[in-house]
Amino acid sequence: MLSTLLLPLFLLFPALTTAVPGFVPYKELTCSEPIDIYADGEPIPDNKLKIDHAITEWDSHAGGHYYDNLTFPEAAISGDDNGDAGTQFVYWGVEQPDPGCQFIMMKDTRNGWQIVSKMPGTEILRVAQEGCYYTPLTAHDGLITSYCCGQGDCSIAEVEIQAETPKDAISGESPACTVKSTAASPTIEDGQQIAITRPQTCEAAPACTHSIQLSTTVTTAVAHFNSYTWTSEVGTEVSFESGVDFLGAEEKMGSTFSSSLAQSWMDETGRTVTVGNISAATEGNRQMPGTVAFYSFVPHYECWKADLDCGKDSNGNEVILERISFCQPRLSSTGEADGLFRMVYISG
């Protein structure tokens, strides 16, 4: 794949580069007044958050470089009485990424993330060009730096582009699957970050706002990280690709193999497809002048893992689908989707 070939030059040829790239904090938009940064009260070496792990390094580095309990004593603090009161104004000087690569900054939410989302945190900055970029932070935030290269890997981080649904195919009647075992208690997971406004350039002071105009819902999801292909005893060919399938409205039930699995789990547990709305009347947080950004939402899910028995294949072997996750969006008392809103700043 192209994405596996486009590795940054500092990894391919470390002797040719003087330093690992990173995010360097500054006090203002021109990135001319550097400020100090501390993690757990200790100065960060070279005052730089290193960008040295890829978004796809899930097993070795959990998708990025983690920095806990960050403070910026010299950063200006908003004194406004609105929702961003106490926000620190931090700007980041970033060098030019290699061709086809992007640098990423995320906030660490402490929730699980490897079931519904492939992002280890909520994205707040993603750049493909050198420059000086703003992020709103609060004292003691945890940040994660990462990078991606190539269309395949960067599609994980490009949250303003809707992800493709994993493909499944059935040549005939769907095999009847039953729940063999299921977890008694769910884990709390971050869902896929969703762009709920289009990117816009903010030019007018003091700030710009985003009105949510895109109709967005979050729904029950089936997540599976193994692909399966088999022929059933009656000759039905089944292909089940790894990924996350969001079931949506009830009419989708039964139209895909994922929905058939979900129906088996719901029959066993008594649950139903859940749909949560993101209010179209919600006013987005303020965007700083001189920036390009879009507003996003990270839904929270409750996820149960289960093993399913799907009968036997054409050779008489049992077909067991292991550790399939069934995830329900958490809802507020008003029926709105529960989660976090985030402004995502980009290089345009």
Side-chain angles (χ1 to χ4, degrees):
M1 293 177 59
L2 178 62
S3 59
T4 60
L5 299 176
L6 291 174
L7 293 176
L9 295 178
F10 71 87
L11 292 180
L12 289 174
F13 306 106
L16 300 181
T17 59
T18 57
V20 171
F23 294 102
V24 179
Y26 290 85
K27 196 171 186 176
E28 34 57 61
L29 185 57
T30 62
C31 282
S32 58
E33 296 182 51
I35 58 176
D36 294 329
I37 180 172
Y38 296 83
D40 289 326
E42 297 295 326
I44 295 282
D46 300 321
N47 239 27
K48 178 170 68 175
L49 302 185
K50 292 182 179 180
I51 308 170
D52 53 359
H53 297 302
I55 196 71
T56 53
E57 291 183 43
W58 297 310
D59 294 333
S60 57
H61 292 95
H65 193 137
Y66 288 65
Y67 292 91
D68 295 327
N69 190 22
L70 293 175
T71 52
F72 309 83
E74 301 160 296
I77 299 177
S78 169
D80 294 342
D81 293 328
N82 56 25
D84 60 2
T87 296
Q88 290 188 284
F89 299 99
V90 180
Y91 297 83
W92 301 95
V94 186
E95 61 195 79
Q96 179 65 40
D98 291 335
C101 297
Q102 300 182 62
F103 295 152
I104 306 160
M105 179 180 289
M106 296 163 278
K107 280 193 178 183
D108 190 355
T109 67
R110 310 290 182 178
N111 289 335
W113 59 275
Q114 284 185 308
I115 294 180
V116 190
S117 173
K118 295 182 180 180
M119 296 273 285
T122 60
E123 184 172 85
I124 59 173
L125 177 63
R126 191 184 73 249
V127 299
Q129 301 169 11
E130 66 178 323
C132 187
Y133 299 95
Y134 169 76
T135 58
L137 299 172
T138 54
H140 311 294
D141 272 339
L143 295 179
I144 307 166
T145 65
S146 190
Y147 68 85
C148 65
C149 292
Q151 183 177 1
D153 290 353
C154 286
S155 65
I156 297 170
E158 291 170 344
V159 299
E160 70 274 31
I161 301 173
Q162 188 172 2
E164 291 186 5
T165 298
K167 298 178 179 63
D168 62 42
I170 308 171
S171 65
E173 184 178 353
S174 178
C177 299
T178 58
V179 176
K180 187 175 181 180
S181 62
T182 187
S185 301
T187 58
I188 307 303
E189 305 284 335
D190 283 338
Q192 290 183 4
Q193 194 165 353
I194 307 165
I196 53 178
T197 68
R198 294 179 177 86
Q200 71 175 18
T201 300
C202 180
E203 298 176 349
C208 304
T209 58
H210 288 243
S211 293
I212 299 173
Q213 298 175 342
L214 303 179
S215 178
T216 307
T217 59
V218 295
T219 68
T220 298
V222 178
H224 41 97
F225 293 98
N226 291 305
S227 295
Y228 297 91
T229 301
W230 75 94
T231 302
S232 71
E233 284 185 300
V234 297
T236 299
E237 295 183 359
V238 182
S239 178
F240 186 43
E241 190 177 72
S242 65
V244 181
D245 191 5
F246 296 93
L247 301 183
E250 292 281 358
E251 56 264 24
K252 185 174 180 180
M253 296 302 295
S255 63
T256 65
F257 185 57
S258 292
S259 65
S260 296
L261 293 181
Q263 190 63 61
S264 299
W265 178 76
M266 289 187 288
D267 290 343
E268 176 71 21
T269 61
R271 293 180 173 86
T272 59
V273 170
T274 299
V275 178
N277 295 311
I278 302 172
S279 174
T282 302
E283 187 76 11
N285 254 355
R286 301 190 309 166
Q287 176 186 347
M288 291 296 289
T291 63
V292 181
F294 60 89
Y295 206 40
S296 71
F297 182 73
V298 182
H300 292 160
Y301 279 84
E302 294 182 340
C303 294
W304 291 260
K305 283 188 173 65
D307 296 341
L308 288 95
D309 186 340
C310 293
K312 295 182 179 180
D313 64 17
S314 56
N315 296 319
N317 300 313
E318 285 191 354
V319 178
I320 305 297
L321 309 184
E322 296 182 333
R323 299 178 66 79
I324 307 296
S325 291
F326 299 93
C327 301
Q328 298 279 55
R330 305 188 81 182
L331 303 181
S332 69
S333 58
T334 60
E336 297 287 313
D338 177 60
L340 296 171
F341 290 95
R342 288 278 189 257
M343 192 72 75
V344 182
Y345 289 87
I346 57 176
S347 53

